[in-house]
């Protein structure tokens, strides 16, 4: 029987499992975080999966662990990057088992807003070394990422370095982008998703969370649960603020005066 081509909507990552046999104690960070402690097995959507929650809820910690378990450098970049500016990743990745699909990604990238500067520096360091191939920066549009704004350098990354059939893990990408450019990111995600790519991200952005068909997980002090977009605090609070900002200001400023 002739070989068949895997369908482009088949996930690279299908689920994440927490291996309790690899955990010494749930009293230690990061296993003491409620969302991590109650992780169990978590389904990963074939297109876009997003983690949301308050600061400290564990969303970036979980995303980082998935990225490292998948073979990415903890500070970001492609799977070929192996630099370390400061080792700060948690040990969670050692306790995760990734349930993979039948397809393997052709490419991939782990973007971290807080350490993208380090990735840009590593690219320049590597391009200064004698190498047989073309400069790495050519895959990012040819212009130094340090000579662009944070938003421009991130757009250069997604426009030039991201390609079809890739696994892309994005930690708070909205930190680099204006609302208009967040919409541009959504358009790029859609184009790549149609070409067989899969995205995981941690975000506070109600714009990015609105991606059609995204699988959303909310992390909180109660654990982790799947949630619909309109039920997220990000959507509800943003909507209420835009509709009733004068009321918000009265309440916020009154609280300040009382203090």
């Amino acid at each position: 029987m002739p070989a068949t081509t895997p369908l482009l909507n088949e996930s690279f990552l299908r689920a994440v499992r927490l291996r309790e046999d690899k955990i010494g104690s749930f009293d230690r960070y990061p296993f003491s975080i409620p969302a991590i402690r109650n992780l169990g097995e978590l389904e990963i959507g074939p297109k876009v999966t997003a983690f949301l929650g308050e600061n400290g809820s564990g969303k970036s910690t979980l995303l980082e662990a998935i990225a490292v378990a998948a073979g990415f450098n903890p500070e970001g970049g492609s799977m070929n990057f192996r630099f370390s500016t400061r080792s700060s990743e948690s040990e969670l990745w050692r306790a995760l088992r990734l349930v993979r699909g039948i397809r393997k990604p052709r490419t991939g990238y782990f973007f971290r807003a807080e350490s993208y500067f380090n990735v840009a520096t590593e690219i320049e360091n590597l391009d200064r070394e004698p190498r047989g191939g073309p400069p790495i920066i050519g895959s990012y549009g040819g212009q130094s990422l340090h000579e662009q704004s944070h938003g421009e350098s991130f757009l250069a990354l997604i426009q030039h370095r991201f390609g079809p059939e890739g696994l892309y893990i994005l930690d708070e990408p909205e930190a680099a982008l204006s609302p208009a450019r967040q919409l541009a990111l959504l358009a790029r995600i859609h184009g790549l998703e149609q070409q067989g790519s899969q995205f995981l991200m941690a975000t506070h952005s109600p714009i990015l969370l609105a991606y059609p068909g995204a699988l959303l997980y909310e992390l909180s002090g109660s654990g982790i649960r799947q949630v619909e977009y309109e039920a997220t605090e990000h959507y509800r609070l943003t909507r209420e603020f835009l509709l009733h900002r004068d009321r918000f200001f009265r309440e916020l400023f009154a609280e300040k005066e009382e203090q």
Side-chain angles (χ1 to χ4, degrees):
M1 179 181 295
T4 59
T5 302
L7 297 175
L8 290 182
N9 62 359
E10 168 68 25
S11 301
F12 301 122
L13 297 182
R14 301 175 61 186
V16 178
R17 293 175 183 162
L18 185 65
R19 296 187 55 184
E20 297 191 10
D21 61 305
K22 296 291 185 178
I23 301 171
S25 171
F26 280 99
D27 294 328
R28 295 185 298 108
Y29 175 86
F31 307 107
S32 58
I33 298 173
I36 304 302
R37 185 171 61 243
N38 299 306
L39 186 64
E41 178 168 324
L42 196 70
E43 176 190 358
I44 302 296
K47 298 177 180 180
V48 176
T49 300
F51 302 120
L52 59 136
E54 283 295 334
N55 297 331
S57 62
K59 59 186 182 302
S60 291
T61 301
L62 176 57
L63 193 78
E64 172 196 79
I66 293 173
V68 176
F72 291 101
N73 188 55
E75 290 189 47
S78 71
M79 291 188 183
N80 295 323
F81 281 77
R82 284 294 176 264
F83 72 96
S84 177
T85 304
R86 180 179 181 275
S87 180
S88 60
E89 67 274 15
S90 77
E91 59 183 290
L92 175 58
W93 69 274
R94 301 181 187 276
L96 292 185
R97 179 176 181 270
L98 304 184
V99 181
R100 302 176 187 265
I102 59 174
R103 244 181 0 127
K104 292 184 178 180
R106 293 176 55 189
T107 185
Y109 212 90
F110 178 30
F111 170 82
R112 304 191 69 163
E114 66 180 24
S115 58
Y116 191 45
F117 179 94
N118 301 342
V119 174
T121 300
E122 179 66 8
I123 290 171
E124 292 188 348
N125 291 339
L126 291 173
D127 279 345
R128 280 195 292 267
E129 298 175 0
R131 303 172 63 250
I136 298 171
I137 195 61
S139 298
Y140 295 75
Q143 181 183 356
S144 169
L145 299 176
H146 283 312
E147 295 175 1
Q148 306 174 61
S149 71
H150 196 183
E152 289 171 334
S153 64
F154 178 57
L155 287 178
L157 168 69
I158 64 172
Q159 290 168 353
H160 299 287
R161 176 58 182 78
F162 287 14
E165 298 183 58
L167 174 62
Y168 301 109
I169 302 178
L170 314 178
D171 187 17
E172 299 189 0
E174 72 276 10
L177 302 175
S178 68
R181 288 187 168 179
Q182 290 181 45
L183 294 176
L185 172 58
L186 288 180
R188 183 61 172 150
I189 288 175
H190 176 70
L192 291 170
E193 176 251 298
Q194 294 290 301
Q195 296 175 304
S197 293
Q198 184 180 19
F199 288 82
L200 287 78
M201 61 181 169
T203 181
H204 293 287
S205 169
I207 293 176
L208 299 183
L209 289 172
Y211 187 84
L215 181 59
L216 307 181
Y217 288 109
E218 183 178 63
L219 287 73
S220 70
S222 301
I224 183 169
R225 67 186 181 102
Q226 186 178 343
V227 63
E228 296 299 321
Y229 176 64
E230 288 79 6
T232 65
E233 183 180 9
H234 301 66
Y235 167 81
R236 291 186 287 106
L237 183 59
T238 302
R239 182 179 183 277
E240 285 300 303
F241 177 78
L242 293 175
L243 290 174
H244 308 291
R245 64 182 185 276
D246 289 340
R247 173 171 60 82
F248 273 81
F249 289 143
R250 285 195 301 271
E251 294 175 356
L252 288 171
F253 299 162
E255 291 178 3
K256 184 67 175 178
E257 291 172 358
E258 291 175 359
Q259 294 175 0

